[in-house]
C-alpha cells in the first residue's frame, strides 16, 4: 500500500538507499531541469519533462539487485497541473522485458509518496536490473510533469563481524553475510594499517564500491586461506 509522508535521508530502519549505484535517465527534460535534479536532495528543484506522455524515469543497475521501496517527492501546492496524477511502476532485466509492478494514483500529493516494490505486499523482494517510472497523467490534464526527488531502497543486510588479530597488521574486521538467494557467504574486511586509526565496524551492508585503500573484499576461500596460514586469533564483535 502506498504511504504518503516524510521519508528519511539515506538508510532508514530495515532498508538502505541504493540510488547511487544506478544510472539514471529520463525520456525528456526541459533545459535546466534535467535528471540530476531528481537526486540533488533539494526540495526546491525539480525535473521537468519536455515531450509527449508518458514521461519516463529509468533507473538502471549494473547487476540484478533486491528492491524494497521507491519514494517519490511531489508538491501539488507549488506544481499544480505539473503534478503527476497516475504513475506506472515497471521493472525487468532490460527495456525489452519490463512488466508493470503496480499503478499509483495520487490526489493532490504534497511530500513523499512511498511505494512498496515487494510483490503482493509480501516479505519477498523484487529483483531487477531496471526500474522505470512512467507518468501516465497529471493533475488538471497537465502536459508536462514535475518530480522533485526520487529515492530507491533495497533491504538492509545484517551479519556477524569477526575481529582478526595478526602479527603483520593491527587488526582486521570481517563480516559474514548470507546472500538472499543462494545462501553463499560473503566476506568483507577492513584492515587497520596504522595504530592511530580506529575503525569501528559498521553493522550492516558493505557495498564493494568503496575505493578506499583500507577496504578489502575477499572471497571466502581466500579469507579462510589467510586465517589458516597466518594462525590468526579470532574474536567476535560486540
Amino acid at each position: 500500500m502506498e504511504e504518503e509522508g516524510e521519508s528519511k535521508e539515506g538508510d532508514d530502519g530495515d532498508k538502505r538507499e541504493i540510488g547511487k549505484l544506478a544510472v539514471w535517465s529520463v525520456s525528456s527534460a526541459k533545459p535546466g531541469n534535467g535528471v540530476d535534479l531528481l537526486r540533488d536532495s533539494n526540495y526546491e528543484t525539480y525535473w521537468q519533462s519536455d515531450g509527449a506522455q508518458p514521461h519516463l524515469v529509468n533507473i538502471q543497475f549494473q547487476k540484478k539487485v533486491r528492491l524494497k521501496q521507491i519514494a517519490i517527492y511531489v508538491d501539488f501546492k507549488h506544481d499544480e497541473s505539473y503534478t503527476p496524477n497516475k504513475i506506472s511502476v515497471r521493472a525487468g532485466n532490460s527495456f525489452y522485458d519490463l512488466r508493470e509492478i503496480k499503478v499509483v494514483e495520487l490526489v493532490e500529493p504534497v511530500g513523499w509518496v512511498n511505494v512498496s516494490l515487494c510483490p503482493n505486499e509480501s516479505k519477498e523482494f523484487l529483483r531487477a536490473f531496471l526500474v522505470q517510472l512512467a507518468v501516465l497523467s497529471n493533475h488538471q490534464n497537465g502536459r508536462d510533469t514535475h518530480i522533485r526527488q526520487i529515492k530507491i531502497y533495497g533491504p538492509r543486510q545484517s551479519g556477524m563481524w569477526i575481529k582478526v588479530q595478526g602479527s603483520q597488521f593491527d587488526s582486521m574486521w570481517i563480516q559474514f553475510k548470507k546472500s538472499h538467494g543462494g545462501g553463499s557467504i560473503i566476506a568483507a574486511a577492513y584492515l587497520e594499517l596504522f595504530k592511530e586509526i580506529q575503525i569501528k565496524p559498521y553493522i550492516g551492508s558493505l557495498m564493494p564500491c568503496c575505493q578506499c585503500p583500507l577496504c578489502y573484499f575477499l572471497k571466502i576461500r581466500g579469507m579462510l586461506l589467510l586465517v589458516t596460514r597466518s594462525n590468526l586469533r579470532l574474536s567476535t564483535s560486540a
Side-chain angles (χ1 to χ4, degrees):
M1 179 178 294
E2 295 75 43
E3 178 184 351
E4 188 171 326
E6 290 299 319
S7 175
K8 296 179 181 179
E9 298 289 334
D11 291 4
D12 181 15
D14 61 349
K15 63 181 184 291
R16 60 191 178 89
E17 215 283 328
I18 58 173
K20 64 183 178 181
L21 304 178
V23 175
W24 294 66
S25 63
V26 292
S27 55
S28 66
K30 180 181 177 182
N33 295 94
V35 63
D36 55 310
L37 300 184
L38 290 172
R39 301 286 298 170
D40 66 353
S41 300
N42 185 350
Y43 298 154
E44 301 302 316
T45 62
Y46 50 83
W47 161 62
Q48 179 175 324
S49 63
D50 187 19
Q53 295 176 355
H55 307 302
L56 307 178
V57 178
N58 305 305
I59 309 170
Q60 284 184 282
F61 296 91
Q62 292 185 347
K63 62 179 182 179
K64 184 175 285 189
V65 295
R66 293 188 297 157
L67 300 165
K68 182 180 179 69
Q69 185 184 81
I70 192 163
I72 308 164
Y73 193 93
V74 284
D75 190 343
F76 177 78
K77 289 183 178 179
H78 287 88
D79 298 329
E80 298 182 340
S81 64
Y82 288 91
T83 309
N85 169 252
K86 182 181 291 187
I87 299 176
S88 170
V89 182
R90 306 160 180 174
N93 294 324
S94 69
F95 288 101
Y96 302 103
D97 67 353
L98 287 173
R99 58 187 178 88
E100 189 170 80
I101 303 302
K102 60 179 57 180
V103 174
V104 183
E105 295 191 8
L106 308 176
V107 181
E108 300 184 1
V110 177
W112 286 101
V113 177
N114 297 324
V115 182
S116 172
L117 297 178
C118 298
N120 301 318
E121 308 302 330
S122 68
K123 293 184 179 180
E124 295 295 322
F125 301 113
L126 174 69
R127 292 175 59 85
F129 282 95
L130 171 64
V131 175
Q132 183 182 82
L133 298 182
V135 178
L136 305 180
S137 64
N138 293 321
H139 283 73
Q140 303 170 1
N141 295 318
R143 176 175 175 268
D144 284 310
T145 198
H146 286 180
I147 297 180
R148 293 177 176 261
Q149 292 290 296
I150 298 178
K151 293 185 180 296
I152 188 164
Y153 296 90
R156 183 190 294 280
Q157 295 175 323
S158 60
M160 179 182 70
W161 284 86
I162 291 181
K163 188 174 184 179
V164 181
Q165 298 285 356
S167 59
Q168 302 301 317
F169 49 83
D170 293 328
S171 65
M172 179 181 286
W173 284 99
I174 298 177
Q175 185 189 32
F176 294 91
K177 298 182 297 184
K178 286 186 177 180
S179 68
H180 177 70
S184 60
I185 297 177
I186 304 170
Y190 271 106
L191 178 62
E192 296 183 28
L193 298 179
F194 305 101
K195 292 182 179 180
E196 297 82 11
I197 300 177
Q198 299 295 324
I199 299 180
K200 296 180 180 180
Y202 174 68
I203 307 302
S205 178
L206 200 58
M207 299 303 296
C209 58
C210 179
Q211 301 301 319
C212 172
L214 299 178
C215 188
Y216 295 87
F217 287 84
L218 310 173
K219 292 184 178 179
I220 184 64
R221 287 184 297 177
M223 188 278 296
L224 290 175
L225 187 61
L226 170 66
V227 172
T228 302
R229 288 185 176 179
S230 303
N231 191 25
L232 304 178
R233 185 171 69 255
L234 303 180
S235 60
T236 57
S237 64

